Coordinates of all heavy atoms in Angstrom, one line a residue:
M1 N 2.0 -28.9 2.0 CA 2.1 -27.8 2.9 C 0.8 -27.4 3.5 O -0.2 -27.3 2.7 CB 2.8 -26.6 2.3 CG 2.7 -25.3 3.0 SD 3.8 -24.1 2.3 CE 2.5 -23.1 1.4
A2 N 0.5 -27.4 4.7 CA -0.8 -26.9 5.4 C -0.9 -25.5 5.3 O 0.1 -24.7 5.7 CB -0.8 -27.6 6.7
I3 N -2.1 -25.0 5.2 CA -2.4 -23.6 5.2 C -3.2 -23.4 6.5 O -4.2 -24.0 6.7 CB -3.2 -23.2 4.1 CG1 -2.5 -23.3 2.8 CG2 -3.6 -21.7 4.2 CD1 -3.2 -23.1 1.6
K4 N -2.7 -22.6 7.3 CA -3.5 -22.2 8.6 C -4.2 -21.0 8.4 O -3.8 -19.9 7.9 CB -2.4 -22.0 9.7 CG -1.7 -23.2 10.1 CD -0.8 -23.0 11.4 CE -0.1 -24.1 11.8 NZ 0.8 -23.9 12.8
A5 N -5.5 -21.0 9.0 CA -6.4 -19.9 8.8 C -6.8 -19.5 10.2 O -7.1 -20.3 11.1 CB -7.6 -20.3 7.9
S6 N -6.9 -18.3 10.4 CA -7.3 -17.8 11.7 C -8.8 -17.3 11.5 O -9.1 -16.7 10.5 CB -6.5 -16.6 12.2 OG -6.6 -15.5 11.4
I7 N -9.6 -17.7 12.4 CA -11.0 -17.4 12.3 C -11.3 -16.6 13.5 O -11.1 -17.0 14.7 CB -11.9 -18.7 12.3 CG1 -11.6 -19.4 11.1 CG2 -13.4 -18.3 12.4 CD1 -12.2 -20.8 11.0
R8 N -11.9 -15.4 13.2 CA -12.2 -14.4 14.3 C -13.7 -14.4 14.4 O -14.3 -14.2 13.4 CB -11.7 -13.0 14.1 CG -10.3 -12.9 13.9 CD -9.9 -11.4 13.7 NE -9.9 -11.1 12.3 CZ -10.3 -9.9 11.9 NH1 -10.6 -9.0 12.7 NH2 -10.3 -9.7 10.6
K9 N -14.2 -14.4 15.6 CA -15.7 -14.1 15.8 C -15.8 -12.6 15.9 O -15.2 -11.9 16.6 CB -16.1 -14.8 17.0 CG -16.5 -16.2 16.9 CD -17.9 -16.3 16.4 CE -18.4 -17.6 16.6 NZ -19.7 -17.9 16.0
S10 N -16.7 -12.0 15.0 CA -17.0 -10.7 15.0 C -18.2 -10.4 15.9 O -19.1 -11.2 16.1 CB -17.4 -10.2 13.5 OG -17.8 -8.9 13.6
P11 N -18.1 -9.3 16.8 CA -19.3 -9.1 17.6 C -20.6 -8.8 16.8 O -21.7 -9.0 17.2 CB -19.0 -7.8 18.4 CG -17.8 -7.2 17.6 CD -17.1 -8.3 16.8
Q12 N -20.4 -8.3 15.6 CA -21.6 -8.1 14.7 C -21.7 -9.1 13.6 O -20.7 -9.4 13.0 CB -21.4 -6.7 14.0 CG -21.3 -5.6 15.0 CD -22.5 -4.6 14.8 OE1 -23.2 -4.7 13.9 NE2 -22.8 -4.0 15.9
P13 N -22.7 -9.7 13.4 CA -22.9 -10.6 12.2 C -22.7 -9.9 10.9 O -23.1 -8.8 10.7 CB -24.3 -11.2 12.3 CG -25.1 -10.1 13.1 CD -24.0 -9.4 14.0
G14 N -22.0 -10.5 10.0 CA -21.7 -9.9 8.7 C -22.8 -10.2 7.7 O -23.7 -11.0 7.9
R15 N -22.6 -9.4 6.6 CA -23.5 -9.7 5.5 C -22.8 -10.8 4.7 O -21.8 -11.2 4.7 CB -23.6 -8.5 4.6 CG -24.0 -7.2 5.3 CD -23.8 -6.0 4.5 NE -22.4 -5.7 4.4 CZ -21.8 -4.9 3.4 NH1 -22.6 -4.2 2.6 NH2 -20.5 -4.8 3.4
R16 N -23.8 -11.5 3.9 CA -23.5 -12.7 3.1 C -23.7 -12.5 1.7 O -24.9 -12.1 1.3 CB -24.0 -13.9 3.7 CG -23.7 -14.3 5.0 CD -24.4 -15.5 5.5 NE -23.9 -15.8 6.8 CZ -23.6 -17.1 7.2 NH1 -24.0 -18.1 6.4 NH2 -23.2 -17.3 8.5
F17 N -22.8 -12.6 0.8 CA -22.8 -12.4 -0.6 C -22.4 -13.7 -1.3 O -21.5 -14.4 -0.8 CB -21.9 -11.3 -1.0 CG -22.2 -10.0 -0.5 CD1 -21.5 -9.6 0.7 CD2 -23.2 -9.1 -1.0 CE1 -21.6 -8.4 1.3 CE2 -23.4 -7.9 -0.5 CZ -22.7 -7.5 0.8
A18 N -23.1 -14.0 -2.4 CA -22.8 -15.2 -3.2 C -22.7 -14.8 -4.7 O -23.6 -14.1 -5.2 CB -23.8 -16.3 -3.0
V19 N -21.6 -15.3 -5.3 CA -21.6 -15.1 -6.7 C -21.4 -16.5 -7.3 O -20.5 -17.3 -7.0 CB -20.3 -14.2 -7.2 CG1 -20.1 -14.1 -8.6 CG2 -20.3 -12.8 -6.5
L20 N -22.4 -16.9 -8.1 CA -22.6 -18.2 -8.7 C -22.3 -18.1 -10.2 O -23.0 -17.4 -10.9 CB -23.9 -18.8 -8.3 CG -24.3 -18.6 -6.9 CD1 -25.8 -19.2 -6.6 CD2 -23.3 -19.3 -5.9
I21 N -21.2 -18.8 -10.7 CA -20.9 -18.6 -12.1 C -20.9 -20.0 -12.7 O -20.4 -21.0 -12.2 CB -19.4 -18.2 -12.2 CG1 -19.3 -16.7 -11.4 CG2 -19.0 -18.0 -13.6 CD1 -17.9 -16.4 -11.0
G22 N -21.6 -20.2 -13.9 CA -21.7 -21.4 -14.7 C -21.5 -21.2 -16.1 O -22.1 -20.3 -16.8
V23 N -20.4 -21.9 -16.6 CA -20.0 -21.9 -18.1 C -20.3 -23.2 -18.6 O -19.4 -24.1 -18.3 CB -18.7 -21.2 -18.2 CG1 -18.3 -21.1 -19.7 CG2 -18.6 -19.9 -17.6
S24 N -21.2 -23.3 -19.6 CA -21.4 -24.6 -20.1 C -21.2 -24.7 -21.6 O -20.9 -25.8 -22.2 CB -22.9 -25.2 -19.8 OG -23.8 -24.3 -20.4
I25 N -21.1 -23.5 -22.3 CA -21.0 -23.4 -23.8 C -19.7 -22.6 -24.0 O -19.4 -21.7 -23.2 CB -22.1 -22.9 -24.4 CG1 -22.5 -21.5 -23.9 CG2 -23.3 -23.8 -24.5 CD1 -23.7 -20.8 -24.7
F26 N -18.9 -22.8 -25.0 CA -17.6 -22.3 -25.2 C -17.5 -21.8 -26.6 O -18.1 -22.4 -27.5 CB -16.5 -23.2 -24.9 CG -16.7 -23.7 -23.4 CD1 -17.4 -25.0 -23.2 CD2 -16.2 -23.1 -22.4 CE1 -17.5 -25.4 -21.9 CE2 -16.4 -23.6 -21.0 CZ -17.0 -24.7 -20.9
K27 N -16.7 -20.9 -27.0 CA -16.4 -20.3 -28.2 C -15.6 -21.3 -29.0 O -15.8 -21.4 -30.2 CB -15.8 -19.0 -28.2 CG -16.6 -17.8 -27.6 CD -15.8 -16.5 -27.7 CE -16.7 -15.4 -27.1 NZ -16.0 -14.2 -27.1
D28 N -14.7 -22.0 -28.3 CA -13.8 -22.9 -29.0 C -14.7 -24.2 -29.2 O -15.0 -24.9 -28.3 CB -12.7 -23.2 -28.1 CG -11.6 -24.1 -28.7 OD1 -11.9 -24.9 -29.6 OD2 -10.5 -24.2 -28.1
P29 N -14.8 -24.6 -30.6 CA -15.6 -25.8 -30.8 C -14.8 -27.1 -30.3 O -15.5 -28.1 -30.3 CB -15.7 -25.8 -32.4 CG -14.5 -24.9 -32.8 CD -14.3 -24.0 -31.7
E30 N -13.6 -27.0 -30.0 CA -13.0 -28.3 -29.5 C -13.3 -28.5 -28.1 O -13.0 -29.6 -27.5 CB -11.3 -28.1 -29.6 CG -10.8 -27.9 -31.0 CD -11.0 -29.2 -31.8 OE1 -10.7 -30.2 -31.2 OE2 -11.5 -29.1 -33.0
I31 N -13.8 -27.5 -27.3 CA -14.3 -27.8 -26.0 C -15.7 -28.1 -25.9 O -16.7 -27.3 -26.4 CB -14.0 -26.5 -25.1 CG1 -12.6 -26.1 -25.2 CG2 -14.5 -26.7 -23.6 CD1 -12.2 -24.7 -24.5
H32 N -16.0 -29.4 -25.5 CA -17.3 -29.8 -25.4 C -18.2 -29.2 -24.5 O -17.8 -28.8 -23.3 CB -17.3 -31.4 -25.3 CG -16.6 -32.1 -26.2 ND1 -17.1 -32.3 -27.6 CD2 -15.4 -32.7 -26.2 CE1 -16.2 -33.0 -28.2 NE2 -15.2 -33.3 -27.4
P33 N -19.4 -28.8 -24.9 CA -20.3 -28.1 -23.8 C -20.7 -29.1 -22.7 O -20.6 -30.3 -22.8 CB -21.6 -28.0 -24.7 CG -21.4 -28.6 -25.9 CD -20.0 -29.0 -26.1
L34 N -21.1 -28.4 -21.6 CA -21.4 -29.3 -20.4 C -22.9 -29.3 -20.3 O -23.6 -28.2 -20.5 CB -20.8 -28.7 -19.1 CG -19.3 -28.6 -19.2 CD1 -18.6 -27.8 -18.1 CD2 -18.7 -30.1 -18.9
R35 N -23.5 -30.4 -19.8 CA -24.9 -30.6 -19.8 C -25.5 -30.0 -18.5 O -26.8 -29.5 -18.7 CB -25.2 -32.1 -19.8 CG -24.9 -32.6 -21.2 CD -25.3 -34.1 -21.3 NE -26.7 -34.4 -20.9 CZ -27.1 -35.5 -20.5 NH1 -26.4 -36.6 -20.5 NH2 -28.5 -35.6 -20.1
F36 N -24.9 -30.0 -17.4 CA -25.7 -29.7 -16.1 C -25.3 -28.5 -15.5 O -25.7 -28.1 -14.4 CB -25.7 -30.8 -15.2 CG -26.3 -32.1 -15.9 CD1 -25.5 -33.2 -16.1 CD2 -27.7 -32.2 -16.1 CE1 -26.0 -34.2 -16.8 CE2 -28.3 -33.3 -16.7 CZ -27.4 -34.4 -17.1
T37 N -24.3 -27.6 -16.0 CA -23.7 -26.6 -15.4 C -24.7 -25.5 -15.0 O -24.8 -25.0 -13.8 CB -22.6 -25.9 -16.2 OG1 -21.6 -27.0 -16.5 CG2 -21.9 -24.8 -15.5
K38 N -25.6 -25.2 -16.0 CA -26.5 -24.1 -15.8 C -27.6 -24.5 -14.6 O -27.9 -23.7 -13.8 CB -27.2 -23.8 -17.1 CG -28.1 -22.6 -17.1 CD -28.6 -22.2 -18.5 CE -29.3 -21.0 -18.5 NZ -29.8 -20.6 -19.9
T39 N -28.0 -25.7 -14.8 CA -29.0 -26.2 -14.0 C -28.4 -26.4 -12.4 O -29.2 -26.0 -11.5 CB -29.7 -27.5 -14.3 OG1 -28.7 -28.6 -14.6 CG2 -30.5 -27.4 -15.6
D40 N -27.2 -26.7 -12.3 CA -26.6 -26.8 -11.0 C -26.5 -25.4 -10.3 O -26.7 -25.3 -9.2 CB -25.2 -27.4 -11.1 CG -25.1 -29.0 -11.4 OD1 -26.3 -29.5 -11.4 OD2 -24.1 -29.4 -11.7
V41 N -26.1 -24.4 -11.1 CA -26.0 -23.0 -10.7 C -27.2 -22.4 -10.3 O -27.4 -21.9 -9.1 CB -25.2 -22.2 -11.6 CG1 -25.2 -20.7 -11.2 CG2 -23.7 -22.6 -11.8
I42 N -28.3 -22.7 -11.0 CA -29.6 -22.2 -10.8 C -30.1 -22.9 -9.4 O -30.7 -22.3 -8.6 CB -30.6 -22.4 -12.0 CG1 -30.1 -21.4 -13.1 CG2 -32.0 -22.2 -11.6 CD1 -30.8 -21.6 -14.4
A43 N -30.0 -24.2 -9.4 CA -30.4 -24.9 -8.2 C -29.8 -24.5 -6.9 O -30.3 -24.3 -5.9 CB -30.2 -26.5 -8.4
L44 N -28.4 -24.3 -7.0 CA -27.7 -23.7 -5.9 C -28.2 -22.3 -5.4 O -28.4 -22.0 -4.3 CB -26.2 -23.7 -6.1 CG -25.4 -23.2 -5.0 CD1 -25.5 -23.9 -3.6 CD2 -23.9 -23.2 -5.4
G45 N -28.4 -21.5 -6.5 CA -29.0 -20.1 -6.2 C -30.4 -20.3 -5.4 O -30.7 -19.5 -4.6
Q46 N -31.2 -21.2 -5.9 CA -32.5 -21.3 -5.4 C -32.4 -21.8 -3.8 O -33.1 -21.4 -3.0 CB -33.4 -22.4 -6.1 CG -33.8 -21.7 -7.4 CD -34.6 -22.7 -8.3 OE1 -34.4 -24.0 -8.1 NE2 -35.4 -22.2 -9.3
L47 N -31.5 -22.8 -3.7 CA -31.2 -23.2 -2.4 C -30.8 -22.2 -1.4 O -31.2 -22.0 -0.2 CB -30.1 -24.3 -2.4 CG -29.8 -25.0 -1.0 CD1 -30.8 -25.8 -0.5 CD2 -28.5 -25.7 -1.2
L48 N -29.8 -21.3 -1.8 CA -29.4 -20.2 -1.0 C -30.4 -19.2 -0.8 O -30.5 -18.6 0.4 CB -28.1 -19.6 -1.8 CG -26.9 -20.4 -1.8 CD1 -25.8 -19.6 -2.5 CD2 -26.4 -21.0 -0.5
T49 N -31.2 -18.9 -1.8 CA -32.4 -18.0 -1.7 C -33.4 -18.5 -0.6 O -33.8 -17.8 0.3 CB -33.1 -17.7 -3.0 OG1 -32.1 -17.2 -4.0 CG2 -34.3 -16.9 -2.9
E50 N -33.7 -19.8 -0.8 CA -34.7 -20.4 0.2 C -34.2 -20.4 1.7 O -34.9 -20.4 2.6 CB -35.0 -21.7 -0.3 CG -35.9 -21.8 -1.5 CD -36.1 -23.1 -2.2 OE1 -35.6 -24.1 -1.5 OE2 -36.6 -23.2 -3.3
S51 N -32.8 -20.5 1.8 CA -32.3 -20.5 3.2 C -32.4 -19.2 3.9 O -32.2 -19.1 5.1 CB -30.8 -21.1 3.1 OG -30.0 -19.9 2.6
Q52 N -32.6 -18.2 3.0 CA -32.6 -16.8 3.5 C -31.4 -16.3 4.3 O -31.6 -15.5 5.2 CB -33.9 -16.5 4.1 CG -35.2 -16.7 3.3 CD -36.4 -16.5 4.1 OE1 -36.5 -16.2 5.3 NE2 -37.5 -16.6 3.5
S53 N -30.3 -16.9 4.0 CA -29.1 -16.6 4.8 C -28.2 -15.7 4.1 O -27.2 -15.4 4.6 CB -28.4 -17.9 5.3 OG -28.0 -18.7 4.2
F54 N -28.5 -15.4 2.8 CA -27.6 -14.5 2.0 C -28.4 -13.2 1.7 O -29.6 -13.2 1.4 CB -27.3 -15.3 0.7 CG -26.1 -16.2 0.8 CD1 -26.3 -17.4 1.5 CD2 -24.8 -15.9 0.6 CE1 -25.3 -18.4 1.5 CE2 -23.7 -16.7 0.8 CZ -24.0 -18.0 1.2
D55 N -27.6 -12.2 1.8 CA -28.1 -10.8 1.5 C -28.3 -10.5 0.0 O -29.1 -9.8 -0.4 CB -27.3 -9.8 2.2 CG -27.1 -9.9 3.7 OD1 -28.3 -9.7 4.4 OD2 -26.2 -10.4 4.3
K56 N -27.3 -11.1 -0.8 CA -27.3 -10.9 -2.2 C -26.7 -12.1 -2.9 O -25.7 -12.6 -2.4 CB -26.4 -9.6 -2.4 CG -26.5 -9.1 -4.0 CD -25.9 -7.8 -4.1 CE -26.2 -7.2 -5.5 NZ -25.8 -5.9 -5.6
I57 N -27.4 -12.5 -3.9 CA -27.0 -13.7 -4.6 C -27.0 -13.2 -6.1 O -28.0 -12.8 -6.7 CB -27.9 -15.0 -4.5 CG1 -28.0 -15.3 -3.0 CG2 -27.4 -16.1 -5.4 CD1 -29.0 -16.2 -2.7
L58 N -25.8 -13.4 -6.8 CA -25.7 -13.0 -8.1 C -25.2 -14.2 -9.0 O -24.4 -15.0 -8.6 CB -24.5 -11.9 -8.3 CG -24.8 -10.6 -7.5 CD1 -23.6 -9.8 -7.6 CD2 -26.0 -9.9 -8.1
L59 N -26.0 -14.4 -10.1 CA -25.7 -15.5 -11.1 C -25.1 -14.9 -12.4 O -25.7 -14.0 -12.9 CB -26.9 -16.3 -11.4 CG -27.4 -17.4 -10.3 CD1 -27.7 -16.9 -9.0 CD2 -28.4 -18.3 -11.0
L60 N -24.1 -15.5 -12.8 CA -23.5 -15.3 -14.1 C -23.5 -16.6 -14.9 O -22.8 -17.5 -14.5 CB -22.1 -14.7 -14.0 CG -22.0 -13.3 -13.3 CD1 -20.6 -12.9 -13.1 CD2 -22.7 -12.2 -14.1
L61 N -24.2 -16.6 -16.0 CA -24.3 -17.8 -16.7 C -23.9 -17.7 -18.3 O -24.2 -16.7 -18.8 CB -25.8 -18.4 -16.6 CG -26.3 -18.7 -15.3 CD1 -27.8 -19.0 -15.3 CD2 -25.5 -20.0 -14.7
D62 N -23.2 -18.7 -18.7 CA -22.7 -18.8 -20.1 C -22.3 -17.4 -20.6 O -21.3 -17.0 -20.2 CB -23.9 -19.4 -20.9 CG -24.0 -20.9 -20.6 OD1 -22.9 -21.5 -20.3 OD2 -25.1 -21.4 -20.6
E63 N -23.0 -16.8 -21.6 CA -22.5 -15.7 -22.3 C -22.3 -14.4 -21.4 O -21.6 -13.5 -21.7 CB -23.2 -15.3 -23.6 CG -24.8 -15.0 -23.3 CD -25.6 -16.3 -23.3 OE1 -25.1 -17.4 -23.7 OE2 -26.8 -16.2 -22.7
D64 N -23.1 -14.4 -20.2 CA -22.9 -13.4 -19.3 C -21.8 -13.5 -18.3 O -21.3 -12.6 -17.6 CB -24.1 -13.3 -18.5 CG -25.4 -12.8 -19.2 OD1 -25.2 -12.0 -20.2 OD2 -26.5 -13.1 -18.8
A65 N -21.2 -14.8 -18.4 CA -20.0 -15.1 -17.5 C -18.7 -14.8 -18.2 O -17.8 -15.7 -18.3 CB -20.1 -16.4 -17.0
T66 N -18.5 -13.6 -18.7 CA -17.3 -13.4 -19.5 C -16.2 -13.0 -18.4 O -16.6 -12.7 -17.2 CB -17.5 -12.1 -20.3 OG1 -17.8 -11.0 -19.5 CG2 -18.5 -12.3 -21.4
R67 N -15.0 -13.0 -18.8 CA -13.9 -12.8 -17.9 C -14.2 -11.4 -17.3 O -13.9 -11.1 -16.0 CB -12.6 -12.9 -18.5 CG -11.4 -12.6 -17.7 CD -10.0 -12.7 -18.5 NE -9.0 -12.7 -17.6 CZ -8.3 -11.6 -17.1 NH1 -8.8 -10.3 -17.3 NH2 -7.4 -11.7 -16.3
S68 N -14.5 -10.4 -18.1 CA -14.6 -9.0 -17.7 C -15.8 -9.0 -16.7 O -15.8 -8.2 -15.6 CB -14.9 -8.2 -18.8 OG -15.2 -6.9 -18.5
N69 N -16.9 -9.6 -17.0 CA -18.1 -9.4 -16.2 C -17.8 -10.2 -14.8 O -18.2 -9.7 -13.7 CB -19.4 -10.2 -16.7 CG -20.0 -9.3 -17.8 OD1 -19.7 -8.1 -17.9 ND2 -20.8 -9.8 -18.6
V70 N -17.1 -11.4 -14.8 CA -16.9 -12.0 -13.5 C -15.9 -11.1 -12.7 O -16.2 -11.0 -11.5 CB -16.1 -13.5 -13.9 CG1 -15.5 -14.0 -12.6 CG2 -17.1 -14.3 -14.5
L71 N -14.8 -10.7 -13.2 CA -13.9 -9.8 -12.6 C -14.6 -8.5 -12.0 O -14.4 -8.1 -10.8 CB -12.7 -9.5 -13.3 CG -11.8 -10.6 -13.7 CD1 -10.6 -10.2 -14.6 CD2 -11.3 -11.2 -12.4
Q72 N -15.4 -8.0 -12.7 CA -16.2 -6.7 -12.4 C -17.1 -7.0 -11.2 O -17.1 -6.3 -10.3 CB -16.8 -6.0 -13.6 CG -17.6 -4.8 -13.2 CD -18.3 -4.2 -14.3 OE1 -18.1 -4.6 -15.5 NE2 -19.2 -3.3 -14.1
T73 N -17.8 -8.1 -11.4 CA -18.8 -8.4 -10.3 C -18.1 -8.7 -8.9 O -18.4 -8.1 -7.9 CB -19.5 -9.7 -10.7 OG1 -20.3 -9.3 -12.0 CG2 -20.6 -10.1 -9.7
I74 N -17.0 -9.5 -9.0 CA -16.3 -9.8 -7.8 C -15.7 -8.5 -7.2 O -15.7 -8.3 -6.0 CB -15.3 -10.9 -8.1 CG1 -16.0 -12.2 -8.4 CG2 -14.3 -11.1 -6.9 CD1 -15.1 -13.4 -8.9
N75 N -15.1 -7.7 -8.0 CA -14.4 -6.5 -7.5 C -15.4 -5.6 -6.9 O -15.0 -5.0 -5.8 CB -13.7 -5.8 -8.7 CG -12.2 -6.5 -9.0 OD1 -11.6 -7.1 -8.1 ND2 -11.9 -6.5 -10.2
E76 N -16.5 -5.4 -7.5 CA -17.5 -4.5 -6.9 C -18.0 -5.0 -5.5 O -18.2 -4.1 -4.6 CB -18.8 -4.4 -7.8 CG -18.5 -3.5 -9.0 CD -19.7 -3.6 -10.1 OE1 -20.8 -4.2 -9.8 OE2 -19.5 -3.0 -11.1
I77 N -18.2 -6.4 -5.4 CA -18.5 -6.9 -4.0 C -17.3 -6.6 -3.1 O -17.5 -6.2 -1.9 CB -18.9 -8.3 -4.1 CG1 -20.3 -8.3 -4.9 CG2 -19.0 -8.9 -2.8 CD1 -20.7 -9.8 -5.2
L78 N -16.1 -7.0 -3.6 CA -14.9 -6.9 -2.6 C -14.8 -5.5 -2.2 O -14.4 -5.3 -1.0 CB -13.7 -7.3 -3.4 CG -13.6 -8.8 -3.7 CD1 -12.4 -9.2 -4.4 CD2 -13.6 -9.7 -2.3
L79 N -15.0 -4.5 -3.0 CA -14.8 -3.1 -2.5 C -15.8 -2.7 -1.4 O -15.4 -1.8 -0.6 CB -15.0 -2.2 -3.7 CG -13.8 -2.2 -4.7 CD1 -14.3 -1.5 -6.0 CD2 -12.5 -1.8 -4.2
G80 N -16.9 -3.4 -1.3 CA -17.9 -3.1 -0.3 C -17.8 -4.0 0.9 O -18.6 -3.7 1.9
L81 N -16.9 -5.0 0.9 CA -16.9 -5.9 2.0 C -16.4 -5.3 3.3 O -15.4 -4.5 3.2 CB -16.2 -7.2 1.6 CG -16.8 -8.2 0.7 CD1 -15.9 -9.5 0.6 CD2 -18.2 -8.7 1.2
R82 N -16.9 -5.7 4.3 CA -16.3 -5.4 5.7 C -15.6 -6.7 6.3 O -15.9 -7.8 5.8 CB -17.4 -4.9 6.7 CG -18.1 -3.6 6.1 CD -19.2 -3.2 7.1 NE -20.2 -4.1 7.3 CZ -21.5 -3.9 7.2 NH1 -22.0 -2.8 6.7 NH2 -22.3 -4.9 7.5
P83 N -14.8 -6.5 7.3 CA -14.1 -7.8 7.8 C -15.1 -8.8 8.2 O -14.7 -10.0 8.2 CB -13.3 -7.2 9.0 CG -13.1 -5.7 8.6 CD -14.4 -5.3 7.9
E84 N -16.3 -8.5 8.7 CA -17.2 -9.5 9.1 C -18.1 -10.1 8.1 O -18.8 -11.1 8.4 CB -18.0 -9.0 10.3 CG -19.0 -7.8 9.8 CD -18.4 -6.4 9.9 OE1 -17.2 -6.2 10.1 OE2 -19.1 -5.5 9.6
D85 N -17.9 -9.6 6.8 CA -18.8 -10.2 5.8 C -18.2 -11.5 5.2 O -17.0 -11.8 5.4 CB -18.9 -9.1 4.7 CG -19.6 -7.8 5.1 OD1 -20.4 -7.9 6.1 OD2 -19.4 -6.8 4.4
L86 N -19.1 -12.1 4.5 CA -18.7 -13.4 3.8 C -19.0 -13.3 2.3 O -20.1 -12.8 1.9 CB -19.5 -14.6 4.4 CG -19.4 -15.9 3.6 CD1 -18.3 -16.7 4.4 CD2 -20.7 -16.6 3.6
L87 N -18.1 -13.8 1.5 CA -18.3 -13.9 0.1 C -18.1 -15.4 -0.3 O -17.1 -15.9 -0.1 CB -17.2 -13.1 -0.7 CG -17.2 -13.3 -2.3 CD1 -18.7 -13.0 -2.9 CD2 -16.2 -12.4 -2.8
F88 N -19.2 -16.0 -0.8 CA -19.2 -17.4 -1.4 C -19.2 -17.3 -2.9 O -20.0 -16.7 -3.5 CB -20.5 -18.1 -0.9 CG -20.6 -19.4 -1.4 CD1 -19.9 -20.5 -0.9 CD2 -21.7 -19.7 -2.4 CE1 -20.0 -21.8 -1.4 CE2 -21.8 -20.9 -2.8 CZ -21.0 -22.0 -2.3
L89 N -18.0 -17.9 -3.3 CA -17.8 -17.9 -4.8 C -17.9 -19.4 -5.3 O -17.1 -20.1 -4.7 CB -16.5 -17.3 -5.0 CG -16.1 -17.2 -6.5 CD1 -17.0 -16.3 -7.3 CD2 -14.6 -16.6 -6.6
Y90 N -18.8 -19.5 -6.3 CA -19.0 -20.8 -6.8 C -18.8 -20.8 -8.4 O -19.5 -19.9 -9.0 CB -20.4 -21.4 -6.5 CG -20.7 -22.8 -7.0 CD1 -20.3 -23.8 -6.3 CD2 -21.4 -22.9 -8.1 CE1 -20.7 -25.1 -6.9 CE2 -21.7 -24.0 -8.7 CZ -21.4 -25.2 -8.1 OH -21.7 -26.5 -8.5
F91 N -18.0 -21.7 -8.9 CA -17.7 -21.7 -10.3 C -17.8 -23.0 -10.8 O -17.1 -24.0 -10.5 CB -16.3 -21.1 -10.5 CG -16.0 -20.5 -11.9 CD1 -15.8 -19.3 -12.1 CD2 -15.9 -21.4 -13.0 CE1 -15.5 -18.7 -13.3 CE2 -15.7 -20.9 -14.2 CZ -15.5 -19.4 -14.4
A92 N -18.7 -23.1 -11.8 CA -19.1 -24.5 -12.4 C -18.7 -24.5 -13.9 O -19.2 -23.7 -14.7 CB -20.4 -24.8 -12.1
T93 N -17.7 -25.2 -14.3 CA -17.3 -25.4 -15.6 C -16.3 -26.4 -15.8 O -16.1 -27.2 -14.9 CB -16.7 -23.9 -16.2 OG1 -16.6 -24.0 -17.6 CG2 -15.4 -23.5 -15.6
H94 N -15.6 -26.5 -17.0 CA -14.5 -27.3 -17.2 C -13.4 -26.9 -16.2 O -13.1 -25.8 -15.9 CB -14.0 -27.4 -18.5 CG -14.8 -28.2 -19.5 ND1 -15.0 -29.6 -19.4 CD2 -15.6 -27.7 -20.6 CE1 -15.7 -29.9 -20.5 NE2 -16.1 -28.9 -21.1
G95 N -12.7 -28.0 -15.7 CA -11.5 -28.0 -14.7 C -10.7 -26.8 -14.8 O -10.0 -26.3 -14.0

């Protein structure tokens, strides 16, 4: 099933927000840690910062990337978004 998206051009450029989440270590010892998750998220954050095209970039890594913190961070941004704004969400972890 195809999903159709409508894209509207706003007369005003919107603000751009990025939430970058990386979880490489886990409480469950059966889940093997990931080697490059943290470095990937940090590198993407640096790239977005250097591009100067984002107004706010937030990183949540490992123990800071709890379910509660992730939901709270995203909700706080969503509550302040305007129709012309962009939210880029990146999540690096196990499938």
Side-chain angles (χ1 to χ4, degrees):
M1 176 169 98
I3 298 174
K4 292 184 179 181
S6 65
I7 300 173
R8 304 182 268 152
K9 276 276 199 184
S10 174
Q12 299 250 335
R15 299 168 299 163
R16 293 176 178 223
F17 301 92
V19 179
L20 313 177
I21 303 160
V23 180
S24 60
I25 53 176
F26 306 90
K27 290 180 183 178
D28 185 343
E30 296 293 316
I31 302 174
H32 298 288
L34 298 169
R35 290 182 52 199
F36 302 109
T37 303
K38 189 173 183 177
T39 55
D40 287 350
V41 170
I42 290 170
L44 179 58
Q46 289 174 339
L47 177 70
L48 296 178
T49 299
E50 290 168 5
S51 75
Q52 298 181 356
S53 59
F54 280 80
D55 300 289
K56 188 170 193 175
I57 301 168
L58 300 171
L59 274 64
L60 295 173
L61 299 170
D62 290 326
E63 58 276 344
D64 292 329
T66 63
R67 181 180 192 276
S68 176
N69 283 349
V70 168
L71 292 175
Q72 180 179 350
T73 300
I74 293 170
N75 281 330
E76 286 175 3
I77 291 175
L78 287 175
L79 289 172
L81 285 182
R82 300 182 302 233
E84 64 273 9
D85 292 340
L86 171 95
L87 172 58
F88 175 70
L89 181 61
Y90 178 82
F91 203 108
T93 191
H94 279 296

